[in-house]
Amino acid sequence: MKWLLGTAALLIAAPAAGQTLEVVSPDGANRVVVALDRQGVPNYTVQRKGELVLAPAPIALDLDRDMLGWGMAVTGSEASSADTRYKIVLGKAAEGRDNYNQRIIHLQERGGAKRRMDIILRAYDDGIAFRTLVPVQPATAAAVVRYERTGFYFPQPWRCWGFNVGRFGSSHEGEFDPVDTTRLRDHNLFDVPFACETGKGAFAIAEADLIDFAAMYLTGRGDGGPGLQVKLSPSLDDPRVAVHTRIGSPIVTPWRVVMLADRLGTLQESTLLASLSTPSRIEDTSWIQPGLTSWDWWSGPSIAKLPGQRTTTAVAKAFIDFAAANGMPYTMIDEGWYAGAGGGGVRRPGVDITKWADAINLQEVADYARSKKVRLWLWAHWQALDEQMEDALALYEKLGVAGIKIDFMERDDQWMVNWYQKLLGAAARHHLMVDLHGAFAPRGLTRTWPNFVTLEGVMGAEYNKWSSRATAGNDVMLAYTRGLLGPMDYTPGGFRNVTPADFRMRGDLPMVQSTRAHGLAMYVVFLSPLQAVADSPDTYAASPAGFDFIRQVPTSWDETRFLAGETGAYIVLARRKGKTWYLGAMNDEKARTVSVPLDFLGARGTEARIWSDGAAPDAVQVETKRVSKDTPLTLNLAATGGAVAVFQER
């Protein structure tokens, strides 16, 4: 440990071999500094409020045969600033503020081919970002990117959490565990985000504006030092190549992002990834609407009056009736509706997603949904859709379908990144919203394509069907990690609440090992503009406690506030829609009493309706009382428990 700290201190103290260039955030808190080391490699450091967060680390690319970023000289730089606002169609806030200071640093090799490379630095109040741009030049025409040597080096061992996915080509579903940052290895493969606390602040490493490039993973440094380095998702066609470039176009990496705040939970408020992403490519977004959806798959489906039936016309109508009766705009029909379906993650030969299976008449179901003022979402395997994309999307638009849920991509190489663009553009032409499952975590693409309303990339409620891994503690940890990046289709709404000791795995009518109030809080804490009401209509009828909250909760918000919490232990968030605030509190397996500041409320007294833990896991206590911004709210959170509240001025 002393050796590691001493090495970091030596690196920090080493004199720069060239000009030092920096960018400071508008509020002065965040600073990113770039200098050339003795080998002419650009290294950057990150500071927050004077504390060194990231030690000097390289920014470089491996092209066809060698590294671009060695033996460089600074040839110039330009500074600029921006402060603009943009509409967020669906998400955690009604608008984002793109407020930053920027510097573009021009570099050129001192010898050899004298290749040029630019580094674009930005500093925001909620983080810093940088990207590498290789201008069009003869020496890099038709080059490929084999690796990226960019690092995120730690000056000392921070307290961190990461999801060690372990392999490329996954559904990105797993736990964010504590990481001993003194034992990071280059065979580790961490997904984003990688979240850390420094004692004085917090940060999360992420990526934004991933377009025509390979996705970023994080691995231990090859030299064994403290910190991480980038590893790009390799091409499936040639694992030695990560990115194929285009002649006549520059090589541009996505933004490498370090989200920064005093507390990790405060990053829930950040719209940094959206600000760094390409603006909307859809002019008229009026047809993109959030809402709750009933869903047939998670519960079985199980409809008591239709025993033994799965994906049938009658079952679909039952879920439509349930949605209509409870004011939900959507019903989702999952796997099994199209001709030749039934393979789950395997696309069966000969499937046809423009025709429906014998047991369900999709035209009749769509007509019935329209009569009930409910719109359909349809599931499809991505390979089946890829083969019939234009014909299928045109048919769904004609049927009045609202959106599509596409599954099992389980890739994030450059080819699949570009396929997302192809799909989202085609879906937009046909006025279809998109929910991606078996997908990589958000990179800000929901700003570029606002019809991309939600995605999975999370170990969600489906794991209750076949494992005991969807614990209350895991739920809380998601709020401090995966939930920082953007929407996640966790699919909440399970109403068979039991203690962890009583939990049993089962595929139909699954249990959940947290309290009812904890589950209600997911509708506030877990952002998803398309939010599932996952259980059987029969379950909600038999055990309705708390369902009145679900019926009224919005799924897209005007403002988000982090109120209280401890990473991995509990979290309390407030989100505003119009003039009404909604609070969600989620707790791990240890009972605790928390004091929640209400300074987000107006000066006038406010009526609060509160749903909290009852005497049993599926019980809810409900109370209404007057509160004010001057008096904290006390919440008694049971083990695996939670609470929700609605604040309205009366």
Side-chain angles (χ1 to χ4, degrees):
M1 180 67 70
K2 290 181 180 178
W3 180 86
L4 290 174
L5 292 173
T7 301
L10 186 63
L11 285 170
I12 296 161
Q19 185 178 1
T20 296
L21 298 162
E22 69 176 24
V23 182
V24 180
S25 60
D27 67 358
N30 302 324
R31 182 184 305 267
V32 56
V33 181
V34 169
L36 299 181
D37 68 12
R38 292 186 180 91
Q39 287 74 44
V41 177
N43 278 246
Y44 77 99
T45 59
V46 176
Q47 300 174 34
R48 176 170 172 81
K49 296 183 177 179
E51 177 189 35
L52 188 66
V53 175
L54 293 179
I59 301 174
L61 296 171
D62 275 13
L63 301 183
D64 304 70
R65 298 180 181 86
D66 59 1
M67 184 176 84
L68 176 59
W70 183 87
M72 309 298 286
V74 176
T75 61
S77 73
E78 297 95 43
S80 61
S81 299
D83 189 359
T84 60
R85 296 182 183 270
Y86 57 92
K87 177 184 177 183
I88 296 176
V89 178
L90 302 178
K92 65 174 68 175
E95 68 174 14
R97 184 182 180 188
D98 195 19
N99 183 25
Y100 61 84
N101 292 322
Q102 175 175 282
R103 184 175 292 275
I104 301 176
I105 303 172
H106 303 293
L107 304 160
Q108 186 171 19
E109 292 173 323
R110 293 191 293 262
K114 294 188 180 297
R115 294 172 297 182
R116 291 175 288 123
M117 181 178 84
D118 295 342
I119 298 173
I120 307 171
L121 304 175
R122 285 188 185 176
Y124 292 78
D125 292 349
D126 50 352
I128 66 94
F130 59 91
R131 73 191 321 172
T132 304
L133 185 151
V134 181
V136 176
Q137 55 194 310
T140 59
V144 299
V145 179
R146 295 193 181 279
Y147 309 102
E148 183 173 347
R149 295 187 180 272
T150 299
F152 298 89
Y153 292 179
F154 300 161
Q156 57 183 288
W158 298 133
R159 184 184 183 219
C160 298
W161 297 265
F163 167 27
N164 190 1
V165 63
R167 63 183 176 89
F168 302 110
S170 79
S171 58
H172 301 270
E173 299 167 6
E175 292 88 350
F176 285 82
D177 294 320
V179 177
D180 181 351
T181 57
T182 68
R183 302 180 66 84
L184 292 166
R185 301 291 182 260
D186 59 1
H187 59 261
N188 301 147
L189 193 67
F190 289 95
D191 212 340
V192 293
F194 193 90
C196 301
E197 294 176 342
T198 69
K200 296 180 180 179
F203 67 94
I205 301 170
E207 178 179 37
D209 207 31
L210 173 59
I211 295 176
D212 197 21
F213 213 80
M216 178 183 83
Y217 290 81
L218 298 165
T219 186
R221 293 166 54 178
D223 63 6
L228 300 158
Q229 63 188 39
V230 171
K231 181 173 281 190
L232 298 176
S233 184
S235 167
L236 293 191
D237 298 328
D238 184 352
R240 298 169 301 173
V241 174
V243 178
H244 293 274
T245 66
R246 289 174 171 79
I247 295 175
S249 297
I251 301 171
V252 185
T253 72
W255 290 102
R256 281 47 184 115
V257 184
V258 183
M259 305 170 73
L260 293 159
D262 291 341
R263 302 183 68 186
L264 199 55
T266 305
L267 293 177
Q268 277 278 356
E269 303 173 10
S270 173
T271 57
L272 179 58
L273 298 191
S275 294
L276 289 164
S277 296
T278 299
S280 175
R281 291 178 173 169
I282 303 174
E283 290 188 12
D284 176 17
T285 59
S286 60
W287 54 274
I288 302 171
Q289 296 294 326
L292 299 169
T293 182
S294 63
W295 182 32
D296 56 1
W297 181 83
W298 191 77
S299 67
S302 178
I303 301 294
K305 66 180 181 181
L306 301 169
Q309 292 195 32
R310 293 287 182 174
T311 307
T312 68
T313 299
V315 167
K317 288 182 176 180
F319 279 91
I320 291 168
D321 288 341
F322 170 66
N326 291 286
M328 301 177 197
Y330 302 120
T331 287
M332 180 174 289
I333 301 176
D334 213 279
E335 205 270 348
W337 67 267
Y338 55 76
V346 178
R347 182 196 61 81
R348 290 178 171 176
V351 299
D352 190 336
I353 61 172
T354 66
K355 299 176 182 177
W356 36 92
D358 293 341
I360 183 170
N361 185 320
L362 192 63
Q363 181 68 64
E364 181 180 342
V365 170
D367 292 342
Y368 186 76
R370 188 179 302 108
S371 74
K372 294 287 187 174
K373 294 182 171 54
V374 172
R375 301 187 68 197
L376 300 179
W377 281 73
L378 299 177
W379 181 97
H381 191 288
W382 80 269
Q383 289 176 316
L385 177 68
D386 189 46
E387 294 170 355
Q388 297 179 278
M389 186 177 293
E390 194 59 34
D391 289 344
L393 299 186
L395 172 63
Y396 304 159
E397 182 181 26
K398 183 179 178 181
L399 288 170
V401 170
I404 52 176
K405 175 181 176 180
I406 309 304
D407 209 346
F408 292 108
M409 288 75 67
E410 298 182 354
R411 287 172 58 178
D412 51 14
D413 59 339
Q414 183 188 20
W415 189 94
M416 182 54 74
V417 167
N418 289 339
W419 189 83
Y420 278 28
Q421 298 283 333
K422 173 185 173 182
L423 167 66
L424 295 168
R429 289 196 303 274
H430 293 285
H431 299 93
L432 292 166
M433 293 178 282
V434 178
D435 173 6
L436 293 181
H437 275 231
F440 54 82
R443 263 77 168 177
L445 194 57
T446 53
R447 180 187 179 192
T448 309
W449 295 103
N451 61 324
F452 183 17
V453 298
T454 195
L455 65 157
E456 193 181 31
V458 64
M459 194 180 77
E462 65 182 12
Y463 275 74
N464 289 294
K465 294 165 73 78
W466 56 74
S467 82
S468 58
R469 295 169 63 187
T471 64
N474 178 71
D475 295 340
V476 174
M477 197 67 240
L478 289 174
Y480 289 96
T481 51
R482 166 63 179 83
L484 302 180
L485 300 186
M488 60 181 190
D489 195 10
Y490 181 99
T491 62
F495 262 37
R496 278 170 301 282
N497 307 92
V498 297
T499 65
D502 291 334
F503 176 80
R504 300 291 182 272
M505 292 173 280
R506 60 190 193 194
D508 289 354
L509 299 174
M511 303 176 182
V512 291
Q513 50 185 324
S514 55
T515 72
R516 179 70 52 83
H518 180 104
L520 298 179
M522 292 179 183
Y523 286 89
V524 178
V525 176
F526 292 166
L527 174 68
S528 183
L530 177 73
Q531 190 70 280
V533 182
D535 221 324
S536 166
D538 298 328
T539 302
Y540 296 119
S543 180
F547 190 67
D548 55 336
F549 175 79
I550 293 177
R551 291 180 60 181
Q552 65 181 287
V553 68
T555 63
S556 186
W557 307 93
D558 296 333
E559 185 180 354
T560 294
R561 299 273 191 96
F562 171 70
L563 303 182
E566 179 184 336
T567 303
Y570 75 98
I571 188 167
V572 187
L573 284 186
R575 301 193 196 264
R576 179 179 60 83
K577 189 66 173 180
K579 295 182 178 181
T580 303
W581 283 92
Y582 298 78
L583 178 148
M586 295 170 60
N587 192 31
D588 67 1
E589 288 78 10
K590 178 182 178 181
R592 55 174 46 88
T593 298
V594 300
S595 179
V596 180
L598 300 180
D599 51 8
F600 60 91
L601 298 176
R604 296 173 54 190
T606 301
E607 181 180 279
R609 186 165 176 82
I610 304 166
W611 294 255
S612 57
D613 295 315
D618 60 354
V620 177
Q621 297 185 73
V622 183
E623 64 173 323
T624 301
K625 64 180 183 179
R626 298 288 296 178
V627 296
S628 75
K629 68 183 184 67
D630 300 320
T631 304
L633 177 67
T634 299
L635 296 176
N636 296 309
L637 305 177
T640 77
V644 292
V646 179
F647 302 91
Q648 291 180 308
E649 292 187 4
R650 298 291 188 185

Coordinates of all heavy atoms in Angstrom, one line a residue, residues 106 131 366 396:
H106 N -4.5 20.9 -29.9 CA -4.0 20.3 -31.1 C -2.6 19.8 -30.9 O -1.7 20.4 -30.3 CB -3.9 21.4 -32.2 CG -5.3 22.1 -32.4 ND1 -6.3 21.4 -33.0 CD2 -5.7 23.4 -32.2 CE1 -7.3 22.3 -33.1 NE2 -7.0 23.4 -32.7
R131 N -12.8 13.9 -25.3 CA -12.8 12.9 -26.4 C -11.6 13.2 -27.3 O -11.1 14.3 -27.4 CB -14.1 13.0 -27.2 CG -14.3 14.2 -28.1 CD -15.7 14.4 -28.6 NE -16.4 13.2 -29.0 CZ -17.7 13.1 -29.3 NH1 -18.4 14.3 -29.4 NH2 -18.3 12.0 -29.7
A366 N -55.5 -5.5 -31.5 CA -55.3 -4.1 -31.7 C -56.6 -3.3 -31.8 O -56.7 -2.1 -31.3 CB -54.4 -3.9 -33.0
Y396 N -46.8 -2.5 -38.0 CA -47.1 -2.1 -36.7 C -47.7 -0.6 -36.6 O -48.7 -0.4 -35.9 CB -45.9 -2.2 -35.8 CG -45.2 -3.5 -35.8 CD1 -43.9 -3.6 -35.4 CD2 -45.9 -4.7 -36.1 CE1 -43.3 -4.9 -35.3 CE2 -45.3 -5.9 -36.1 CZ -43.9 -6.0 -35.7 OH -43.3 -7.2 -35.7

